Amino acid sequence: MPATPDRDTRTELSTSAVPAGEAFAYWREMICATFVRLAAEPVAERRFSGRIEHVALGGLELSTVVAGSQHVRRTRSLIAQSAEDFLLASIQLRGRGRIEQDGRTALLSAGDMAFYDSTRPYTLHFDAPFHQLVVQVPRRELPIRDTSILTARALGHGGPGGVVPAFFTSLARTAKASPEQSAVLLPHSFGLLAAAASFAGRADADPDAADALARERVLDHLRRHLADPALDAATVAAACGMSRRTLYRVVGDQGGGVAGELRRIRIERAKTLLLEHPGRPVGAVGTACGFDSESGFHRAFRTATGQTPGGYREAGLPRTRRK
């Protein structure tokens, strides 16, 4: 049997660990160990492969799933054999999926998400290979009494809850690369899940959840437009459809408010570019991240990291890639 994922560390499970003829049986054990007790059948007779990367952050669990076609069922008998009480959300990254629960069906394509509840039967269908991120949280962590009104309702990436899939996709990437940075994002996770659940249930989000969603909408705009040196509070508020007063309230003043969040996002992007493009001039990296001068980029980078951009690149690159 595959090892049960360690709830405190990152775990990777793959069917490549067993002979091809045993792959799907091993996969059943993998998904039961990672999520809840489930029944599964392959759709195609061709060789099956699957991989799960699992990471736990506080009470939140993130599992990136890449696998072949299959049908998965949570049955009444399996529910009766366990005391698992989770709300799960599948975020489709590639391919298509279908979730059935509580008499509804959600069709998912890339960028969509939908909730399902482990305490009632549900079915997941994947008629072709797929790539998903599954967010799993104990129901007690969310202020939701009746989940039956929100399950199997697709939240499209163009709707008001569209920033939620983007946030959790980013959180999963960050958790793999830098657990320390992901801890900073964790406090917003539960509020965003609650807000997404409210949209799925066609209910008004409570004030805290609504603020969490509004904050993530602001941060998403900052990430997408960070290269614009003219980006400021006024343009962000207008783009996000809120007053500057609301903008300052939902972002807060911890960490420097809107300007501080923008600076943090720009520096994180600069750190990525410095390492991914070692031949790119430092000044060009600063320009690509919205800094209007190379000297300003150097000052901001040194203040945030304690290093110059060039020093950060030199320390972070493998010796064979250093210029």
Side-chain angles (χ1 to χ4, degrees):
M1 270 187 80
T4 299
D6 189 327
R7 299 311 185 190
D8 297 318
T9 61
R10 179 184 169 197
T11 304
E12 294 188 23
L13 302 172
S14 174
T15 58
S16 63
V18 299
E22 301 173 20
F24 201 86
Y26 191 74
W27 177 254
R28 289 192 191 97
E29 296 171 356
M30 283 172 56
I31 60 177
C32 290
T34 304
F35 305 114
V36 294
R37 299 193 64 181
L38 297 162
E41 302 83 32
V43 171
E45 295 184 0
R46 60 179 176 270
R47 180 171 178 172
F48 179 86
S49 66
R51 175 171 54 85
I52 299 174
E53 294 182 5
H54 175 274
V55 64
L57 299 171
L60 189 74
E61 298 182 44
L62 302 172
S63 299
T64 303
V65 181
V66 181
S69 57
Q70 60 191 279
H71 291 169
V72 179
R73 293 175 294 116
R74 174 78 165 159
T75 65
R76 294 190 185 279
S77 62
L78 291 174
I79 293 170
Q81 296 171 31
S82 62
E84 298 151 327
D85 189 352
F86 294 103
L87 185 66
L88 302 97
S90 282
I91 298 171
Q92 198 75 22
L93 302 178
R94 288 197 297 271
R96 296 181 181 275
R98 191 165 79 250
I99 297 174
E100 297 177 2
Q101 190 172 41
D102 297 320
R104 290 183 297 273
T105 299
L107 302 177
L108 304 183
S109 57
D112 296 337
M113 71 176 285
F115 289 100
Y116 43 107
D117 188 316
S118 71
T119 64
R120 298 188 301 280
Y122 62 78
T123 305
L124 310 177
H125 300 271
F126 305 99
D127 294 325
F130 68 97
H131 186 176
Q132 271 194 348
L133 173 64
V134 180
V135 183
Q136 181 171 330
V137 62
R139 288 205 316 171
R140 64 177 181 275
E141 298 289 345
L142 297 175
I144 302 169
R145 294 182 179 179
D146 181 11
T147 63
S148 66
I149 62 173
L150 60 91
T151 53
R153 295 186 186 274
L155 295 176
H157 57 275
V163 296
V164 179
F167 170 85
F168 283 102
T169 302
S170 176
L171 180 61
R173 286 196 302 266
T174 303
K176 289 188 288 185
S178 174
E180 297 80 10
Q181 291 183 28
S182 62
V184 177
L185 299 173
L186 184 59
H188 309 296
S189 302
F190 295 107
L192 285 172
L193 275 180
S198 296
F199 279 111
R202 312 298 198 265
D204 292 332
D206 66 62
D208 288 343
D211 280 356
L213 187 63
R215 185 179 190 279
E216 183 53 30
R217 191 162 70 247
V218 170
L219 296 181
D220 182 65
H221 185 81
L222 295 179
R223 285 189 288 265
R224 288 187 291 108
H225 298 278
L226 63 84
D228 181 2
L231 193 63
D232 59 14
T235 56
V236 173
C240 294
M242 62 182 68
S243 68
R244 291 180 64 170
R245 181 177 180 180
T246 299
L247 173 67
Y248 292 132
R249 177 175 58 78
V250 299
V251 172
D253 56 10
Q254 185 177 4
V258 177
E261 290 289 356
L262 178 57
R263 185 166 52 250
R264 178 185 63 79
I265 289 169
R266 282 173 168 163
I267 294 298
E268 289 304 315
R269 178 59 177 159
K271 289 163 68 175
T272 299
L273 292 180
L274 286 166
L275 299 183
E276 288 185 350
H277 303 281
R280 194 171 188 175
V282 167
V285 171
T287 299
C289 296
F291 292 95
D292 55 11
S293 71
E294 187 169 348
S295 60
F297 175 43
H298 273 260
R299 284 195 301 272
F301 197 94
R302 183 187 283 275
T303 299
T305 68
Q307 298 175 281
T308 65
Y312 175 85
R313 170 184 274 167
E314 183 72 12
L317 286 175
R319 189 174 299 276
T320 56
R321 295 185 65 195
R322 296 178 187 176
K323 298 295 184 182

